[in-house]
């Protein structure tokens, strides 16, 4: 490939990641100027989580062709990669001798990406309206898996006890899961999907994803990073480098290519999910450590996502971008 072609490809890769993180930066600025106070941020985030994102995921899931074998393979790749990272990071943190109460926080950070918000926004930037449609089902499936694994590892390392029934109820009542499952039911039912579903999904994605990204930026506290130690950096490396690499390698071994590979990478390469901090705090763990990892991975992910997606695009593995 010529130098000009390589540069064009790099700019195209940057155009995938930069708009997403520009919204996060806007949220940081709005909070710094007092325009987005924490109470308002929390209310907007709650509204988007309970209504906006579930509706967006419903619209996307309702338009997926579930008979396609390729979709099954990249779903399987995402699950296998998540389980591999979960197991490997747990072995790694024990081998490194991290304090037991920090091991669960490390493992959760390693496998749990922000796929429902940052990941969906990235797929929209990369593939237009087709991106969220392809991402809807893996978001639902891995949201369920993430919650189960997170409860398990945090309970195991923090000495808490959570009934399986409570975990199951929390997953079933998750608004994101409900939205996707309703869309899947509509897609596989004899009923025809309304023609207005596609433009509705585009409108919802274009409104709620930037809104939630702004809220993520508004909730970031950079002052917490002064206590960031080696464990924070190690967890960030697992989240931003090792986990996406594992996902790509598993997907390639299963024959996943083009748009499916691109969407899977973008979902798995995102920063640590903000909900991980909530779960650690609820379990009475080191919430400062969890917050540090979220902030650091968010700051660094612009570089790692751009570099990773550019590499895949350079070798013609992620299909045609919008």
């Amino acid at each position: 490939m010529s130098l000009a072609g390589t540069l064009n490809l790099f700019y195209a890769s940057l155009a995938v990641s930069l708009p997403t993180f520009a919204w996060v930066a806007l949220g940081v600025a709005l909070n710094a100027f007092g325009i987005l106070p924490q109470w308002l941020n929390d209310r907007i985030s709650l509204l988007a989580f309970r209504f906006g994102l579930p509706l967006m995921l419903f619209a996307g899931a309702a338009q997926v062709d579930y008979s396609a074998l390729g979709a099954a393979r990249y779903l399987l790749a995402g699950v296998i990669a998540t389980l591999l990272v979960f197991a490997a990071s747990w072995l790694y943190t024990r081998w490194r001798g991290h304090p037991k109460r920090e091991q669960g926080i490390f493992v959760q950070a390693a496998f749990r990406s922000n796929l429902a918000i940052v990941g969906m926004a990235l797929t929209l930037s990369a593939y237009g309206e087709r991106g969220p449609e392809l991402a809807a089902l893996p978001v639902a499936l891995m949201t369920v898996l993430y919650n189960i694994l997170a409860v398990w590892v945090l309970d195991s390392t923090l000495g808490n006890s959570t009934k399986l029934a409570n975990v199951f109820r929390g997953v079933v009542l998750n608004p994101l899961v409900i939205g996707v499952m309703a869309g899947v039911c509509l897609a596989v039912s004899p009923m025809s999907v309304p023609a207005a579903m596609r433009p509705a999904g585009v409108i919802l994605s274009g409104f709620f994803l930037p809104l939630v990204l702004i809220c993520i930026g508004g909730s970031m506290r950079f002052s917490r990073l002064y206590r960031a130690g080696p464990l924070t950096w190690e967890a960030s490396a697992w989240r931003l480098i090792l986990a996406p690499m594992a996902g790509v390698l598993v997907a390639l071994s299963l024959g996943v290519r083009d748009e499916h590979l691109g969407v899977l990478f973008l979902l798995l390469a995102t920063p640590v999910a903000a909900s991980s901090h909530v779960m650690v705090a609820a379990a009475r763990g080191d919430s400062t450590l969890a917050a540090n990892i979220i902030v650091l991975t968010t700051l660094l992910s612009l570089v790692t996502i751009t570099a990773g997606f550019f590499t895949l695009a350079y070798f013609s593995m992620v299909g045609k971008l919008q």
Side-chain angles (χ1 to χ4, degrees):
M1 182 180 293
S2 66
L3 177 60
T6 301
L7 288 175
N8 288 335
L9 189 57
F10 174 76
Y11 294 145
S13 301
L14 190 61
V16 170
S17 55
L18 193 58
T20 295
F21 292 97
W23 289 114
V24 176
L26 177 59
V28 173
L30 291 176
N31 178 260
F33 288 108
I35 301 174
L36 186 62
Q38 190 61 48
W39 66 268
L40 179 59
N41 194 324
D42 292 341
R43 291 186 181 183
I44 295 174
S45 299
L46 185 62
L47 176 67
F49 178 73
R50 287 185 175 176
F51 301 103
L53 294 178
L55 286 172
M56 182 192 73
L57 291 170
F58 168 77
Q63 300 171 72
V64 176
D65 179 10
Y66 297 102
S67 64
L69 181 62
R73 284 201 300 267
Y74 89 111
L75 283 173
L76 179 62
V79 172
I80 293 175
T82 298
L83 294 175
L84 283 176
V85 172
F86 174 82
S89 61
W90 202 338
L91 291 174
Y92 173 84
T93 188
R94 296 184 66 176
W95 171 74
R96 286 281 286 120
H98 296 145
K100 185 175 181 180
R101 291 186 62 83
E102 295 179 352
Q103 290 177 4
I105 301 171
F106 180 94
V107 173
Q108 182 182 211
F111 76 80
R112 189 168 193 169
S113 66
N114 196 334
L115 46 79
I117 300 172
V118 179
M120 291 289 284
L122 289 169
T123 61
L124 179 65
S125 295
Y127 299 108
E129 60 189 59
R130 175 72 172 153
E133 291 176 15
L134 291 173
L137 195 56
V139 165
L141 181 61
M142 289 197 283
T143 295
V144 173
L145 182 60
Y146 284 177
N147 279 280
I148 294 172
L149 294 179
V151 170
W152 182 14
V153 72
L154 290 176
D155 287 350
S156 300
T157 56
L158 295 176
N160 300 322
S161 178
T162 300
K163 295 181 179 179
L164 185 60
N166 292 336
V167 178
F168 178 76
R169 183 169 61 251
V171 169
V172 170
L173 297 179
N174 186 303
L176 304 182
V177 176
I178 293 173
V180 174
M181 291 301 100
V184 172
C185 291
L186 176 60
V188 301
S189 71
M191 298 174 57
S192 60
V193 178
M197 189 67 70
R198 182 176 293 273
V202 174
I203 294 171
L204 289 168
S205 300
F207 177 75
F208 279 104
L209 285 177
L211 188 64
V212 181
L213 290 169
I214 290 172
C215 290
I216 289 175
S219 64
M220 291 176 66
R221 299 292 178 266
F222 298 103
S223 59
R224 293 170 173 163
L225 283 177
Y226 77 95
R227 291 181 55 188
L231 190 146
T232 302
W233 288 91
E234 290 177 54
S236 298
W238 273 83
R239 170 85 302 274
L240 299 178
I241 300 174
L242 297 179
M245 286 180 59
V248 169
L249 292 175
V250 170
L252 291 174
S253 69
L254 294 177
V256 179
R257 297 291 189 279
D258 300 327
E259 289 180 331
H260 291 105
L261 180 62
V263 166
L264 182 64
F265 169 79
L266 293 174
L267 294 178
L268 296 180
T270 56
V272 178
S275 55
S276 65
H277 173 266
V278 176
M279 293 193 69
V280 171
R284 299 179 182 178
D286 189 341
S287 59
T288 300
L289 173 61
N292 282 343
I293 297 172
I294 292 170
V295 174
L296 187 59
T297 54
T298 302
L299 291 174
L300 298 178
S301 57
L302 173 61
V303 176
T304 57
I305 291 171
T306 303
F309 198 77
F310 168 75
T311 302
L312 294 174
Y314 183 84
F315 292 104
S316 303
M317 293 182 179
V318 292
K320 185 178 180 181
L321 305 181
Q322 71 162 347

